Amino acid sequence: MTATALFQSALASLPEIVVITGACILLILGQLVGKGQGHVFVWASVAVVLMAALGTLMLASEVRPAYTGMFVADGFSVFFKFVFYIATVLTFFLSRKYADIEGIESSEYYVLLLFALSGMMIMASATDLLSLYVGLELMVLCTYVLTGFLRREPRSNEAALKYVILGAVSTAIFLYGVSLIYGLTGTTQLDGMAAAVTGDPLDPGLLLAVVFIVAGLVFKVGAVPFHMWVPDVYEGAPTTITAFMSVGPKAAGFAVILRVFLNPLVAASDAWLVVAVIAVVTMALGSFVALVQDNFKRLLAYSSIAHAGFAIFGVVAGSADGTASVMLYLLIYSMMNLGIFGIVIMMRNGDFSGEIIEDYAGFARSHPGLALLMLLYLFSLAGIPPTAGFFAKFYVLVALIERGFVMLAVIAVLLSAVAAYFYIRIVMVIYMREPQRAFDPALTPLVRATLAFTALGTLGIGLFPERFLRLAQGAVFGG
Amino acid sequence: MGLPLLSLIVFTPAAGAVVLLLFRSEDAVRWTALAITVLDLALCIAMLAGFDQSTHQMQFTEIHPWVPTLGITYALGIDGISALFVFMTALLGWICVLASWVAINSKVKEFMVSLLVMQALMLGVFCALDLFLFYVCWEAMLIPMYLIIGVWGGDGRVYAAFKFFLYTLAGSLLFLIGVIVLYFHGGRTFDILALTGQDLPFWVQSWLFFAFLIAFAVKVPMVPVHTWLPDAHVQAPTAGSIILAGVLLKMGAYGFLRFSLPMLPEASVYYSTLMLALSALAIVYGGLLALAQDDLKKLVAYSSISHMGFVTLGVFALNLRGLEGGILQMFNHGITTGALFLLVGLIYERTHTRNIPDYGGLMKVAPVYTAFLALFTLSSMALPGTNSFVGELLVLSGGFAANLAAGAAAVVGALLSAAYLLGMFRRVALGPASIGARFKIRDVNAREMAAILPLAVFVLWVGLYPKPFLNIIDVSVKHLLAQVLTKGSGQ
Amino acid sequence: MSGMEFLPVLFMAAGIVLVAMTTLFVSSLLRPSNPYPAKNMPYECGMDPSGEAAGGRFRVPFFILAILLVVFDVEAMFLFPWAVVLKEIGFIGYVEMFVFMLLLIVGFAYAWLKGALEWEE
Amino acid sequence: MVPLSWYILLGVILFVIGAAGVLLRRNILVVLMSLELLLNSVNINFVAFGRIYDDFRGQIFAIFVIAITAAEVAVALGIVVALVRNKSTLKVDDVTMMKG
Amino acid sequence: MDLIVALGLIIFKVAFLIAILLLLPLPLTWLERKIAGHIQQRLGPMRVGWHGLLQPVADGIKLLTKEDHIPDEADRFLFKLAPILALAPPFVVFVAIPFGETVSVLGAEITLYVSNMNVALLFVFAVIGIEVYGVIFGGWAANSKYAVLGSLRTCAQMISYEIPMGFAVIGVVMLAQSMSLLEIVRAQADVWNIVYQPIGFLVFFVAGLAEAQRIPFDLSEAEGDLGAGFHTEYSGIRFAFFMISEYAVVLLVSVLVVILFFGGWNGVLIPLPPLLWFLLKVAFFVYLFIWFRFTFPRYRYDQLMAIGWKVLLPLSMANIIITGIVFS
């Protein structure tokens, strides 16, 4: 590697470098600044992310391969990086007060989120299984720790432990697949890997390898059969982290899946069948099990499984439209899910946990505005127009039907009708029950800003999807 | 081109809903809502005044790109068929506001907002010339309607709201799949007019026909999928019932007219017998169930099923009289059944019971009310001189022309309706004034009168002089029929 | 060739274990064996032992230390191959590893500031 | 020269043992050790393949795997410590407050 | 045929090494006692043999015939395993240690090392790491409070100093461009590494002292306050294994210091045979070890850890960075 190449590579990965440097500085700074300076970290972290976003924007104009083909800064990664930025910044906003209430505020909290962000960014940009793996681990290691951040709460410890063990198993499976790919093709680059298999009928060993890799990745997005961690982890983790995990790492997982699947490796095989089965089962499981949940966080966990299933339908479609549909889906899902989590987080105040659905009975009476927002998010999650959630699903269906998978589309919509049931059940609770107690939501300006932003996104993308659709398509078509 | 009249009509209630959010006083909310709905009605009348009855072309069209990447446009336009429904929707809008003036006493603002949003979406459905836009409005209606039933409904409102929501959602999602399939078969466009001219293979048409059928049949509702309707009607507040009966049920039939027939003519012709059979079943089954009801609202609800059976029967008779009768009957049903629900609502506000045996001798305590009840009851059973007579007669003659058995079933249905409606009227209004002993009943006041009177006017107007109404739809129906029969006869 | 380099390791390990075993065996022939309860008690300066030896406190500092070891030891693994080829890869290679070291130092500094290196018995 | 298949077989055996350990054993520490087995089987594969291709990538990958696994285990142990402080148990079965 | 000869040679060398290493503690203990005695102005052992020369032999016989005592509460398997685990690693490490290039014996060229690994340095650190298991198992299995605490401390100490030790030799690797010890020595033919790597040597040597658990870092055995550390409960021959292991480590550290920093068998000025040069240097460092034991006080435990983490580790990292920039 020459100095110029190194410089070019560093330039291409500037956003990542900014985030990691910022995280390191904050890590040290956090030990020097006294306690009770939470707002400093929030704003410093936000500043870091904004700087990275600026860098990403400046570099978005062209495709920049870097680090001898291990990394690439292209439109695809830019799109995902912005999803990550949004998710992270909103998580920062939501965390400020919540962390205070839970007593977990520390600089490490923000630093870990920043590191997780950098991991996700690397995942989105990785073009080599090695860089992919490193990014993945950087992300999950941080989320492991963040999951267990409520140190005095056995539930949180337990969630973290489950997450870490199952996560490690999935990583091992993923790596085993990678080692097989390496053994069979002699390369770990996604391009090289694809080149090694195009044309010929797929070697069964390669298929096995792909299955292993898919299994490992499927874990990260919480799809069947590696979904069992999701509800427990979502329930046990601090709610802000749950919100973050349901959006950021999930999107990152999909970024990787799409990158791998965009390659002829899978296009040339019948792997879509496997993926289709995963999609159907995931969505069915998420939808049906969510029906019987009483805990809001668990419900949202199953809901996120169901949504992952729906997004995987877009992967099944596989075409450029399918890819773009998954990307758009993730963007929209981030908006609405962070919104609904924002409400749940806000409700955590005093002795009120806000985790039980029944807790929200009669919420509409005392806080009509917030209830309206909740209504918006919930109907968006259910996929009812004119919210963004509808357009997300619509586009996935368009992609599916374009490829001729009409039956899959029918299954998808029927399952989403099932899923709609549990969302409107919550609407029922907040609108049609009498209040059991007084609500005292922890509404800070930051939380307000988050809710406003997500509501705007949820409604805005639903009503005027064109621009975002173009962004997603441009990210795919433009390389 | 000038004024985007249709957009104004559609967005006036929507904008009004936003304005309402700013108010605090309940009375201000009520008056504003009334003003908005009246304004909307005025716009509709203006639209009808400028409507050209001599062409089947879409009028007042507005086309703006919306999501060009996917060929989605914001396209509005009306022909004779939709014009009638737009008018009816606007007409019922302000009546709904009046009907809920005192009936709704909690969360008034939210209710009125829901009502106005609902109206905007309904108008959007009837005006849409883009399938995507149509679908968005069609499905978005679920949200306000769910809330109207679920929040302001009766004791069993939660269950009813759920049932309504899930039935309709499941149906419309399949419709969505159909729409997307159509999109690809029709050359990647959601333009309704562009899609009507297509020659789709028969198997595609068949699949789409059934996909559409499920969605529309749920809305109409046709018999196997009708069970949400009695629950929803019974539990909904009066205004909700009026909207349900007056507009929502029409959307299914409208869907048949707008999509199934012109876009899938071969399948429509091919499966018309099946549709006729289902319609006949709905007529007789609905009538029989209505006969067995002791609950006023349920009775009216089941009568709706029966009457909507007439509508679909007329539509799928696939002849001019049948179609025109069906469409007119949709309008009539909106007026008559809407009025009946209104009347039931009014009496319920006074007695808080809907149980028919609790009533009796209403004529003596509330003569004006009883007079209206008599008029609408007679209208509902299609007495000559009332609106329904015209529509039902056309449907029957069309039905007999198409299929003897279906026509016969329709006659049975008509007789049944006479039986349950007269029975109801007798038990409620005639006999000793037992009801006055238990409840203090006052007669209709001015506000209620204002709500009922226009409907009564339309009952008699259509009954005695239906020509203006038939004129509006005539050309469009003929064009539609021509489309179906030329394409469909190839089968 | 490569096998032969590590074969002696096996021999050595086997040899030393063998020797140890032999010594133990010889010793077992020579030594007396006369255990009794008092002798078999753990040594606690003559007091009767109470409680589990290991069941007491879980010493977190030891644990933190172990984690630090894992981190640094494993990072050293990257340094060795780099050191071997440093002259070939030149200054660019040095810069790359310098970044790595920098990150390592950040972690180290964090641990230091956090007080992980303070030993309090 | 040891044939490649032997390495792969060893890798598979280790992988199976590790997987069985993760699934069947109840002690968290044993589970973590089994995880190490899983990852070591991966490493064996990488190194063996790298040797066959005469390519450094396999070894590099193995080094990364080792390093990152170390971090992973460190995190896992940290969580175990927190858990032990709260519940004082090392049995997986005892750690089931939640339904899943 | 060649193969058999080569194998035979290896086995011979291994056996020779084992013999040397097993017997070396005998003179070393004697030396240690004598030096200790003289430093403390007394004579040390005088009774058994001339100037107590046979004292170590007597000790050996005593240990061999002493009762092997295993506490009731002990985990018997681990208890028996631990001494062997502690004994084996230093021996195995010597396989990778070169003592010189070649010598001619009866006309045949014989290499003065058992194996020339290209990653010898890594091998050394890897195998030395196993030593910790012996310590921790030994302490744990005895199930005595002193032993457990002692073993934990020892373990913490060993792993703490392993890191600076590992970092300290990276500079040497950079200079030699190899991890083979043979190559490292050859690279010092002109200039010894101590010239370029004084910090590296300092860190390595101090860490080596700690690694061998010698004063001033012998906290683990700290007879004064912990009984005898992790091997409190051991007696007889098993205890002897721990002792032998300790001396082997002392020897090993000395050998490594010589190889890595003091030019191995490369001599200066005086043309002695290489092997002799080597042994002389090693002897010097072994003497240093013994000398330190009786001249320095013992550190407190927190000081011990502080030196490892807060002084040696930063020093060694700085060493890497500076050496890197100079030699890249």
Side-chain angles (χ1 to χ4, degrees), chain E residues 236-303:
Chain E
I237 195 69
R238 294 189 207 279
F239 172 74
F241 286 170
F242 282 116
M243 292 302 293
I244 295 172
S245 151
E246 195 185 314
Y247 278 107
V249 173
V250 168
L251 205 62
L252 178 66
V253 173
S254 308
V255 165
L256 282 175
V257 167
V258 170
I259 289 180
L260 295 173
F261 297 98
F262 285 87
W265 48 88
N266 295 310
V268 279
L269 305 174
I270 313 159
L272 290 176
L275 188 58
L276 197 57
W277 258 115
F278 186 79
L279 293 179
L280 274 177
K281 289 179 194 169
V282 171
F284 170 73
F285 281 102
V286 170
Y287 175 73
L288 218 53
F289 269 88
I290 297 170
W291 178 36
F292 279 7
R293 176 167 178 187
F294 298 102
T295 37
F296 284 96
R298 181 184 298 138
Y299 280 109
R300 237 173 34 227
Y301 196 71
D302 59 331
Q303 290 172 326

Side-chain angles (χ1 to χ4, degrees), chain A residues 390-414:
Chain A
F390 165 71
F391 193 81
K393 289 194 170 164
F394 172 76
Y395 191 36
V396 170
L397 291 175
V398 167
L400 261 185
I401 292 172
E402 187 183 19
R403 288 288 306 275
F405 297 121
V406 180
M407 264 334 279
L408 284 181
V410 171
I411 294 170
V413 296
L414 288 181

Side-chain angles (χ1 to χ4, degrees), chain A residues 73-410:
Chain A
D74 55 1
F76 180 79
S77 64
V78 169
F79 185 93
F80 272 104
K81 278 173 194 172
F82 272 94
V83 174
F84 302 151
Y85 294 148
I86 292 172
T88 316
V89 168
L90 293 186
T91 310
F92 286 145
F93 282 179
L94 291 175
S95 298
R96 174 74 184 88
K97 179 80 179 173
Y98 178 83
D100 227 19
I101 291 169
E102 289 285 2
I104 54 172
E105 185 159 80
S106 61
S107 57
E108 286 90 343
Y109 180 89
Y110 300 101
V111 171
L112 282 170
L113 274 171
L114 281 178
F115 275 125
L117 171 66
S118 64
M120 298 190 298
M121 290 160 72
I122 294 172
M123 281 170 83
S125 277
T127 51
D128 187 290
L129 289 168
L130 180 56
S131 45
L132 182 70
Y133 169 62
V134 172
L136 183 82
E137 284 297 308
L138 185 50
M139 178 192 82
V140 292
L141 282 176
C142 296
T143 47
Y144 294 154
V145 178
L146 287 168
T147 303
F149 223 76
L150 297 170
R151 262 170 305 179
R152 313 240 170 277
E153 178 87 42
R155 222 168 42 155
S156 179
N157 301 147
E158 183 189 326
L161 188 66
K162 273 187 182 157
Y163 191 26
V164 83
I165 288 178
L166 290 171
V169 173
S170 83
T171 307
I173 293 172
F174 169 80
L175 280 174
Y176 200 80
V178 172
S179 77
L180 286 182
I181 289 275
Y182 176 64
L184 292 168
T185 66
T187 176
T188 54
Q189 286 204 320
L190 294 178
D191 291 344
M193 193 170 107
V197 292
T198 26
D200 299 343
L202 197 62
D203 183 339
L206 268 182
L207 186 63
L208 185 71
V210 171
V211 167
F212 271 64
I213 289 183
V214 169
L217 292 175
V218 150
F219 175 88
K220 304 297 181 233
V221 301
V224 171
F226 296 101
H227 63 279
M228 33 328 178
W229 60 277
V230 178
D232 286 353
V233 172
Y234 276 30
E235 189 188 338
T239 315
T240 42
I241 299 309
T242 312
F244 177 72
M245 280 201 298
S246 69
V247 174
K250 180 168 287 219
F254 271 108
V256 172
I257 289 180
L258 289 177
R259 256 250 205 252
V260 173
F261 274 69
L262 280 173
N263 271 291
L265 173 68
V266 182
S269 71
D270 287 338
W272 72 265
L273 194 68
V274 183
V275 183
V277 171
I278 290 177
V280 171
V281 180
T282 302
M283 219 189 142
L285 184 123
S287 306
F288 281 108
V289 181
L291 294 179
V292 295
Q293 299 302 323
D294 293 325
N295 183 303
F296 206 158
K297 280 164 89 178
R298 274 187 101 77
L299 183 135
L300 286 173
Y302 283 107
S303 132
S304 106
I305 295 177
H307 277 280
F310 208 104
I312 296 176
F313 277 113
V315 178
V316 176
S319 55
D321 266 322
T323 311
S325 77
V326 177
M327 294 164 74
L328 192 64
Y329 197 101
L330 290 168
L331 174 68
I332 291 171
Y333 179 73
S334 305
M335 288 288 183
M336 54 200 193
N337 212 39
L338 279 173
I340 193 77
F341 267 111
I343 303 252
V344 178
I345 289 164
M346 178 192 77
M347 296 299 282
R348 172 79 181 87
N349 199 5
D351 62 334
F352 193 67
S353 76
E355 287 188 16
I356 309 299
I357 293 172
E358 295 299 318
D359 286 354
Y360 291 80
F363 188 51
R365 173 151 303 190
S366 51
H367 295 82
L370 289 174
L372 192 66
L373 282 181
M374 226 173 149
L375 180 82
L376 175 69
Y377 301 132
L378 286 168
F379 275 111
S380 184
L381 285 167
I384 308 293
T387 56
F390 165 71
F391 193 81
K393 289 194 170 164
F394 172 76
Y395 191 36
V396 170
L397 291 175
V398 167
L400 261 185
I401 292 172
E402 187 183 19
R403 288 288 306 275
F405 297 121
V406 180
M407 264 334 279
L408 284 181
V410 171

